[in-house]
């Protein structure tokens, strides 16, 4: 499948801030920006910025950012699933994964996560994909949010639902290992029945294995 990337940009202001949401961006464009130290949910900020730039230059990789001037304070990533995960079985070109969405702590009261996802889905090419997101409670910032694990789960479900994601059941041990973990997916409008059936097989892989 040819991966078409169409650039979109949105600018908006609040009482004290001006924000730019844009993407998908290349690593070259990203390298001209700084990366906020509060973006450390997955690894140290410097290493995470390097990982983001690597994804940006993958054929299918998509990086959408939100920034203040030239300073990145949030991002969302899309790419094919990790080869070590079941979601990559069969190398199905229409399966994409929302790998990460992160907003720096100081900017979490502006609805930036929803704006990132909304802009990402403006591209009609995204309708050719089943986009999954695996929500694991150990990635959540429970400490700074002040939320309990199930409250945070509902927060993430609401965020993803704003971009058309739905909860799907699975027997994936990573998901079933804790009741707060959740599989969600956005089914593109161009997805055909046999593609959906292949996704169902991934969701319940080895269900008859004894």
């Amino acid at each position: 499948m040819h991966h078409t990337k169409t650039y979109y940009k949105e600018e908006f202001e609040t009482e004290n801030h001006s924000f730019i949401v844009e993407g998908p961006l290349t690593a070259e464009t990203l390298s001209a920006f700084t990366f906020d130290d509060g973006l450390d949910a997955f690894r140290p900020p410097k290493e995470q910025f390097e990982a983001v730039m690597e994804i940006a230059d993958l054929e299918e990789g998509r990086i959408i950012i939100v920034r203040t001037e030239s300073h990145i304070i949030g991002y969302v990533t899309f790419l094919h699933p990790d080869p070590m995960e079941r979601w990559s079985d069969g190398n199905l070109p229409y399966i994409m994964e929302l790998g990460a969405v992160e907003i720096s702590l100081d900017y979490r009261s502006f609805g930036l996560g929803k704006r990132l996802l909304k802009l990402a889905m403006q591209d009609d090419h995204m309708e050719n994909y089943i986009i999954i997101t695996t929500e694991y409670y150990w990635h959540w910032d429970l400490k700074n949010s002040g939320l309990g694990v199930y409250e945070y789960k509902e927060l993430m479900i609401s965020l993803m639902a704003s971009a058309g994601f739905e909860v799907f059941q699975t027997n994936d041990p990573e998901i079933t290992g804790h009741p707060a973990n959740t599989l969600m997916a956005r089914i593109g409008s161009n997805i055909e029945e046999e593609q959906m059936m292949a996704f169902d097989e991934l969701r319940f892989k080895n269900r008859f294995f004894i």
Side-chain angles (χ1 to χ4, degrees):
M1 179 186 294
H2 177 68
H3 296 276
T4 302
K5 303 180 188 181
T6 303
Y7 171 82
Y8 291 90
K9 181 178 181 180
E10 176 193 11
E11 299 183 44
F12 66 99
E13 296 186 359
T14 65
E15 184 175 347
N16 299 312
H17 298 281
S18 295
F19 296 108
I20 297 172
V21 184
E22 63 179 340
L25 300 179
T26 64
E28 181 179 3
T29 299
L30 289 166
S31 67
F33 301 139
T34 53
F35 197 75
D36 196 87
D37 286 341
L39 298 171
D40 59 357
F42 302 97
R43 53 177 65 86
K46 181 180 178 181
E47 295 179 17
Q48 184 61 20
F49 193 24
E50 292 172 353
V52 165
M53 287 192 285
E54 288 178 6
I55 293 170
D57 277 351
L58 294 175
E59 180 186 357
E60 83 283 3
R62 292 169 180 262
I63 303 296
I64 314 296
I65 66 165
V66 55
R67 59 184 172 92
T68 57
E69 297 182 349
S70 61
H71 189 62
I72 299 171
I73 50 90
Y75 65 90
V76 61
T77 72
F78 298 91
L79 70 166
H80 283 317
D82 189 303
M84 299 299 293
E85 297 180 342
R86 70 163 62 190
W87 313 110
S88 68
D89 287 2
N91 295 314
L92 302 177
Y94 51 87
I95 301 288
M96 290 279 280
E97 183 169 14
L98 192 165
V101 56
E102 186 176 10
I103 305 295
S104 185
L105 180 61
D106 292 338
Y107 298 91
R108 291 184 186 170
S109 60
F110 300 104
L112 300 179
K114 288 185 177 180
R115 287 183 179 268
L116 281 169
L117 294 175
K118 180 181 178 181
L119 186 132
M121 299 308 164
Q122 287 183 25
D123 190 343
D124 289 341
H125 193 65
M126 299 298 267
E127 300 302 328
N128 297 316
Y129 299 108
I130 297 173
I131 306 172
I132 66 168
T133 176
T134 49
E135 297 300 326
Y136 301 126
Y137 80 93
W138 51 80
H139 286 158
W140 300 341
D141 189 1
L142 300 174
K143 178 180 178 181
N144 286 311
S145 72
L147 299 175
V149 65
Y150 296 106
E151 293 174 306
Y152 208 108
K153 174 180 178 176
E154 292 305 313
L155 177 70
M156 293 305 298
I157 288 176
S158 176
L159 170 62
M160 296 303 169
S162 72
F165 286 80
E166 305 171 67
V167 174
F168 282 83
Q169 299 302 311
T170 180
N171 64 1
D172 180 7
E174 291 286 345
I175 297 294
T176 61
H178 191 282
N181 294 343
T182 308
L183 171 68
M184 298 188 72
R186 182 185 186 275
I187 310 302
S189 60
N190 297 330
I191 291 299
E192 300 177 353
E193 182 178 358
E194 60 267 27
Q195 294 173 320
M196 195 67 202
M197 291 175 63
F199 175 54
D200 291 341
E201 290 179 4
L202 289 180
R203 290 195 295 124
F204 294 104
K205 181 181 175 184
N206 297 329
R207 59 183 145 182
F208 300 122
F209 180 76
I210 298 178

